[in-house]
Amino acid sequence: MTSTLTFPSEAAPAFPSISLELPDTWAPFSPSGAVLAAGRATEHGEFRPNVIVAVTRFDADYTLQTAIDALTLQVQLIDGVVELGRDELPVLGTDGFRIEFSYSDPRVGTLMQGVRLALLANGPVVDLVQITATATGAQAATLWGELRDVQSSAALTGS
């Protein structure tokens, strides 16, 4: 006897439906592993400030604290990282976490990143949503508020 498992289904629910509000100077793009991504228009060859949304599925017993611990460890392991701040804040209408940091990248110089996490119950599983903003240090000096606004605009749009 055989059975069929499909996606999406009750046993394998669809990923959450998420939206981002983008300024007029932003456009979507499609990096590997992202469910949503958008970047600010730049000159050719210049680093594109961006916000990328990724969703990772876990067993229902996975916790937000486990995700926070994994993320903070990952950040601490970046060579030369400088943590700029962290706190708990709502993300996608639920408990969430934010960490911001900078580090040197050999291709573009100083990069600044801000990562927000939320864990969403989804039937028999949980979905970890990670919303990452990235800009060069020079760009961040004038654009960081805009990147934070795009991150903050993230909303659940479906059932």
Side-chain angles (χ1 to χ4, degrees), residues 25 36 40 52 58 84-85 96 100 105 115:
T25 56
L36 279 180
R40 193 172 202 276
I52 296 175
F58 291 94
L84 305 169
E100 294 180 348
D105 180 282
V115 180

Side-chain angles (χ1 to χ4, degrees), residues 34-68:
V35 295
L36 279 180
R40 193 172 202 276
T42 60
E43 296 294 323
H44 180 70
E46 184 179 344
F47 182 87
R48 175 176 31 188
N50 63 76
V51 173
I52 296 175
V53 179
V55 178
T56 308
R57 179 150 289 169
F58 291 94
D59 290 331
D61 60 351
Y62 189 81
T63 67
L64 180 59
Q65 189 59 54
T66 301
I68 291 168

Side-chain angles (χ1 to χ4, degrees), residues 50-133:
N50 63 76
V51 173
I52 296 175
V53 179
V55 178
T56 308
R57 179 150 289 169
F58 291 94
D59 290 331
D61 60 351
Y62 189 81
T63 67
L64 180 59
Q65 189 59 54
T66 301
I68 291 168
D69 292 346
L71 174 61
T72 56
L73 177 61
Q74 183 180 14
V75 169
Q76 291 168 356
L77 293 175
I78 298 171
D79 189 37
V81 72
V82 175
E83 186 177 320
L84 305 169
R86 69 168 79 179
D87 62 301
E88 297 176 5
L89 78 166
V91 176
L92 297 172
T94 190
D95 293 342
F97 176 78
R98 173 194 66 87
I99 187 169
E100 294 180 348
F101 52 95
S102 66
Y103 60 96
S104 181
D105 180 282
R107 298 164 294 175
V108 296
T110 299
L111 278 180
M112 184 163 169
Q113 287 194 306
V115 180
R116 297 183 188 199
L117 299 177
L119 195 63
L120 305 174
N122 193 355
V125 298
V126 293
D127 292 323
L128 176 65
V129 179
Q130 181 170 313
I131 307 166
T132 304

